[in-house]
Amino acid sequence: MKEESKDRLKQAQTLAEESVASAEMEAAENGRKNATIEYDENGEEKGKYTIIPDLYISRKVTVKGGKRYADYYVHGVLRGVEVKVRVKPGKDSDGFADVSAYTMLNIVFGEKDEAQFSVRAFKRRDSATNRLTSGLTYYAYDKDVEDGEEYVAPLRFETSPDKAVISKLIEIANKKYALGLTV
């Protein structure tokens, strides 16, 4: 593994450990071990953003024909092998990632070429079948050091195998750092 990649993973792990410690203190103060549950405008449960240790997102910018294009990748290590999984901005309700999705992803990254990888737990009840489903949504995450404002952009994976790799990395981090993710 390249030294630069090792340094990036170490920085991501340090930031994530600080986030985990902060979340653990908050949970202890409130008498909870798991993430706080909030409700959205539809009454669906959603957890707070959980930064996943050992994972980070990079942005690679290329210029073609005078236009600037960016590709985004989640980096981690699985069984000693560095993995790099391509991600895209989340889709809108029509199933398309529009220009604003890329704009928000660029806002999260700002002037940096890296951001933290985070997840948010959710539970939804299908009104037609009354079936409860739960899972994780994936985000690029950054917190402004000056004002403490959180910036997030939803992410999606191109293929099922990519999602499976990320799921395994999250599962390992969940066990290693006791993140309290139940999905």
Side-chain angles (χ1 to χ4, degrees):
M1 192 180 334
K2 299 178 195 172
E3 279 301 314
E4 186 177 300
S5 293
K6 286 182 181 179
D7 290 342
R8 287 181 183 165
L9 287 172
K10 185 66 175 167
Q11 289 173 341
Q13 181 178 1
T14 301
L15 288 171
E17 286 172 352
E18 291 171 1
S19 175
V20 168
S22 173
E24 287 174 350
M25 285 187 349
E26 179 184 332
E29 289 172 3
N30 297 324
R32 295 183 309 267
K33 181 179 179 188
N34 292 335
T36 303
I37 300 295
E38 297 175 341
Y39 295 89
D40 66 10
E41 62 277 0
N42 299 321
E44 297 172 350
E45 288 185 12
K46 58 183 182 179
K48 290 192 176 190
Y49 300 106
T50 302
I51 296 170
I52 303 299
D54 303 335
L55 299 181
Y56 70 94
I57 304 168
S58 69
R59 172 174 59 181
K60 182 181 178 189
V61 178
T62 56
V63 179
K64 294 179 185 173
K67 286 191 171 188
R68 185 176 176 253
Y69 298 94
D71 291 318
Y72 301 90
Y73 300 92
V74 176
H75 298 263
V77 178
L78 192 56
R79 297 187 96 182
V81 177
E82 183 177 353
V83 293
K84 180 176 163 181
V85 176
R86 187 171 178 181
V87 293
K88 291 185 172 186
K91 297 179 182 179
D92 64 11
S93 60
D94 295 329
F96 297 101
D98 61 3
V99 174
S100 64
Y102 283 96
T103 300
M104 191 61 210
L105 199 49
N106 285 326
I107 290 169
V108 170
F109 274 84
E111 296 299 317
K112 301 179 285 185
D113 285 329
E114 293 179 4
Q116 295 176 315
F117 180 78
S118 67
V119 296
R120 191 173 197 178
F122 70 86
K123 290 184 183 178
R124 291 190 185 115
R125 185 169 303 278
D126 185 340
S127 58
T129 64
N130 206 27
R131 181 175 174 221
L132 183 66
T133 58
S134 61
L136 296 174
T137 49
Y138 309 97
Y139 295 90
Y141 176 94
D142 191 48
K143 189 171 187 176
D144 192 301
V145 292
E146 293 178 10
D147 63 10
E149 188 69 30
E150 293 178 316
Y151 295 93
V152 295
L155 301 171
R156 64 183 170 94
F157 300 97
E158 290 188 335
T159 65
S160 295
D162 288 346
K163 190 172 180 180
V165 168
I166 294 299
S167 294
K168 190 62 176 177
L169 288 166
I170 291 170
E171 179 185 328
I172 291 168
N174 189 30
K175 289 177 185 175
K176 183 177 178 182
Y177 296 102
L179 299 175
L181 300 172
T182 56
V183 183

